[in-house]
Amino acid sequence: MMRLLLLAGLALFPMAAAAQSDLSKKALAQLDALADRIALVDPGEVPETLLLATLAFAELPGERPLAEQVAGLHLGAMEALERKASVLALAGYLDDRLSREAIARVYAATIFYGRNCYGYQDAVRGLARRTPSSAEDEVWLALAALPRSPSWYLTDRSALKARVALIVDAMETSNLVTKARADRLRDLPLASVDSGGGCSGR
C-alpha cells in the first residue's frame, strides 16, 4: 500500500509543478498563503471509522485525490483553466504541508455532505440527528458515502447502501481494516442520514 501511495504522490508531483508554472507569482503566493490557512484548520476528533472510510473513499475509481478535493472546496469562482491549475497547485502545497491522514481529517471537517451541511460535525447533527459522540459506525459510513452526490444518496437508499458497500470493500482492500472488522461493518444496518432537516448553511 505504501508503494502505491508513493507512486501516486510521484504521479501528482509533475502535475502540481506544471500547474504552478501556469500561474503568476502573485497567484502562487496567494495559494501558498491559503495552504497555510487550510493547514491550520482544526478538524476536531474525527471518528476513526469516518477517517478510515474517507481514506478508502479516495481509493475508489473516478475519485480525485483528497488534497484536490480540499483545494477545490476552498477556492472561489474563477475561469475553468485557471481554476484547474489553481486546484492542482494548491493541492501540491497541501501535500507538502500535511500527511495524507491529516488531509483526510481536514476533508472530513470541511467537505459538503448535502443540505447545506459542511463538515462532519454539522452533517451528523443536521442529517442524522445525532451528536458526534453518540453516532455509531453505520452513521459515519453513510456520511462518508455522501460527498460525491449527496442529493442522490440522500434520496436513494439503495444507491447509498451500494456506495457504503463499495467503501467498506475499499477499506479492506487498502488494508485500512482487517477482514473481521470489514465483515462487522458489512453487517451493520444502513443508517438513516436523511432524517434531519439539514443545516442552516455557512
Side-chain angles (χ1 to χ4, degrees):
M1 179 181 169
M2 289 304 297
R3 184 171 182 272
L4 288 175
L5 292 177
L6 178 59
L7 290 174
L10 291 175
L12 286 173
F13 181 77
M15 290 190 295
Q20 290 175 6
S21 69
D22 290 338
L23 297 169
S24 69
K25 288 183 179 180
K26 180 180 179 181
L28 288 174
Q30 291 172 336
L31 292 172
D32 195 35
L34 178 55
D36 284 338
R37 292 196 296 275
I38 295 171
L40 292 175
V41 168
D42 179 4
E45 292 295 324
V46 179
E48 183 190 35
T49 298
L50 177 61
L51 177 63
L52 296 177
T54 298
L55 288 166
F57 177 95
E59 301 295 323
L60 295 176
E63 294 299 336
R64 291 180 301 150
L66 292 177
E68 286 185 30
Q69 295 186 54
V70 170
L73 181 68
H74 287 83
L75 288 173
M78 56 183 67
E79 294 293 328
L81 289 177
E82 181 188 4
R83 181 175 178 80
K84 183 175 181 181
S86 296
V87 165
L88 290 174
L90 180 54
Y93 287 137
L94 291 174
D95 281 328
D96 287 342
R97 286 165 171 76
L98 299 170
S99 68
R100 184 168 173 267
E101 183 176 303
I103 290 172
R105 291 179 188 279
V106 172
Y107 173 98
T110 58
I111 201 68
F112 179 62
Y113 287 92
R115 297 185 184 168
N116 290 321
C117 296
Y118 287 85
Y120 72 92
Q121 294 190 37
D122 282 346
V124 73
R125 291 183 176 94
L127 300 175
R129 292 168 51 180
R130 304 281 183 86
T131 64
S133 61
S134 68
E136 298 186 354
D137 285 346
E138 59 265 30
V139 172
W140 299 122
L141 288 173
L143 287 179
L146 295 179
R148 171 117 183 188
S149 300
S151 59
W152 180 25
Y153 293 125
L154 283 169
T155 56
D156 188 333
R157 284 184 63 80
S158 62
L160 178 63
K161 184 176 182 179
R163 185 69 166 171
V164 168
L166 278 176
I167 289 174
V168 173
D169 287 347
M171 291 167 75
E172 182 181 2
T173 302
S174 301
N175 295 317
L176 293 168
V177 296
T178 63
K179 182 182 186 306
R181 185 170 179 184
D183 288 342
R184 183 184 69 77
L185 294 175
R186 289 186 185 98
D187 288 339
L188 293 174
L190 183 65
S192 294
V193 290
D194 60 350
S195 58
C199 303
S200 58
R202 292 174 139 181

